[in-house]
Amino acid sequence: LGIRKCDRGQVCRMIMERYSPLRPPTLVDAVDDAIYLFKTPHLAHIVAVGGLLLVGRPPYFYFMNGHLLYVEEPNQTSVISRYAENPASAMPVLHPMYITKAHELGQQSEFVSWICSNLGVSTKPRLVDGYRRLTPEFTFLKANASKDLLLLLRDSWGFYASQLERSDSALKSALEEMNVVCTDGQLRPLGNTILPRESLKVAAPNLPFVDIPDPDDTRWNELAVLGVLPRESSTLYLRELKALALLPVNNTTT
């Protein structure tokens, strides 16, 4: 009868070809498209999906590339959800209908992993871009949520380590200069502070202690890359001696 066979590969190609800025699909269709591509196991050998457009959650209710979007890891709430609704944060989140559909399939974790690896969606704030320049997300967190940014680094150091350990890292320099709240309520550059551990409070009582939760958590030791002193050392004692030298001297006469 002349009916043509339409295999999964052709369906995938048709999906990718219909994302025209002039005639975008509906949200429901867009979700179904993403799920269909996700469920095609040999997709990598059929068609490149990196250009698939996704819909963001309001107030970002429009189509955009995955490398501009964020998604929460299953059963987790992070700094992304906390600030995503603020346009200044530059952290638009994927529309929840995608996750709901994947959850109905019992494959929420697999879907999140797929959109991150294939479409460029991220589960963590992008602090630098592909040219190693500081991102609007970093600028927002630095200015408005420095403690949340420190917690993000503590909890995800392995994710950001390669961006911080370069000698020419703009991110490293910016973090060292970032003003953070200290235990005395004053703001100081992160690179001039020390961890508020009891042994350090005894050894160097005149130095500024960064205000962080659970300071004995060994993950905070990684902040040494940013100039924060995590333990007793010659550098700590030298800083304490310099701080002592700056203290006012009370001259008394007898």
Side-chain angles (χ1 to χ4, degrees):
L1 298 177
I3 297 175
R4 294 181 303 164
K5 180 180 178 181
C6 185
D7 60 20
R8 292 177 70 90
Q10 188 171 349
V11 172
C12 291
R13 285 189 288 271
M14 291 169 63
I15 287 175
M16 295 302 301
E17 290 169 358
R18 75 172 185 160
Y19 278 76
S20 166
L22 300 177
R23 297 184 61 184
T26 66
L27 172 62
V28 172
D29 287 342
V31 172
D32 287 341
D33 287 346
I35 294 297
Y36 185 90
L37 294 173
F38 160 66
K39 290 171 62 180
T40 304
H42 51 297
L43 181 60
H45 305 290
I46 298 175
V47 62
V49 299
L52 182 70
L53 299 180
L54 301 170
V55 183
R57 186 182 74 187
Y60 302 94
F61 190 57
Y62 49 83
F63 284 93
M64 64 183 80
N65 290 319
H67 68 268
L68 299 175
L69 280 165
Y70 290 96
V71 64
E72 289 283 18
E73 295 180 4
N75 303 315
Q76 291 191 25
T77 300
S78 73
V79 66
I80 292 173
S81 292
R82 199 168 302 133
Y83 298 106
E85 293 186 3
N86 185 340
S89 73
M91 289 189 282
V93 173
L94 183 72
H95 197 284
M97 189 178 290
Y98 291 91
I99 302 303
T100 299
K101 195 77 171 183
H103 181 74
E104 292 172 354
L105 297 173
Q107 294 183 292
Q108 181 177 345
S109 296
E110 294 83 355
F111 178 73
V112 169
S113 177
W114 181 80
I115 60 174
C116 288
S117 60
N118 290 277
L119 305 181
V121 181
S122 181
T123 59
K124 294 178 176 59
R126 303 174 182 94
L127 304 183
V128 294
D129 62 18
Y131 300 96
R132 299 201 295 272
R133 298 173 301 194
L134 300 176
T135 62
E137 295 94 307
F138 170 76
T139 301
F140 174 85
L141 292 172
K142 177 185 175 184
N144 301 281
S146 60
K147 182 174 286 189
D148 284 331
L149 182 52
L150 291 179
L151 288 168
L152 173 68
L153 293 174
R154 184 199 67 179
D155 298 340
S156 307
W157 189 264
F159 182 82
Y160 295 109
S162 62
Q163 303 169 18
L164 292 166
E165 294 170 353
R166 296 175 56 93
S167 59
D168 61 343
S169 172
L171 178 61
K172 179 176 180 290
S173 299
L175 285 168
E176 290 173 345
E177 298 167 0
M178 178 177 68
N179 283 328
V180 295
V181 178
C182 294
T183 54
D184 61 0
Q186 299 297 311
L187 290 173
R188 296 183 179 86
L190 177 64
N192 293 345
T193 65
I194 64 177
L195 296 184
R197 292 169 174 165
E198 292 304 319
S199 60
L200 300 184
K201 292 179 181 179
V202 173
N206 296 293
L207 293 184
F209 299 92
V210 58
D211 185 13
I212 53 173
D214 194 14
D216 291 322
D217 189 327
T218 56
R219 291 177 296 174
W220 288 120
N221 293 346
E222 302 291 356
L223 294 185
V225 172
L226 305 175
V228 181
L229 299 182
R231 60 182 64 87
E232 293 182 54
S233 63
S234 58
T235 301
L236 177 80
Y237 296 129
L238 286 173
R239 286 192 192 179
E240 173 65 9
L241 288 174
K242 290 180 180 179
L244 284 170
L246 296 175
L247 291 177
V249 178
N250 293 318
N251 294 317
T252 59
T253 56
T254 58

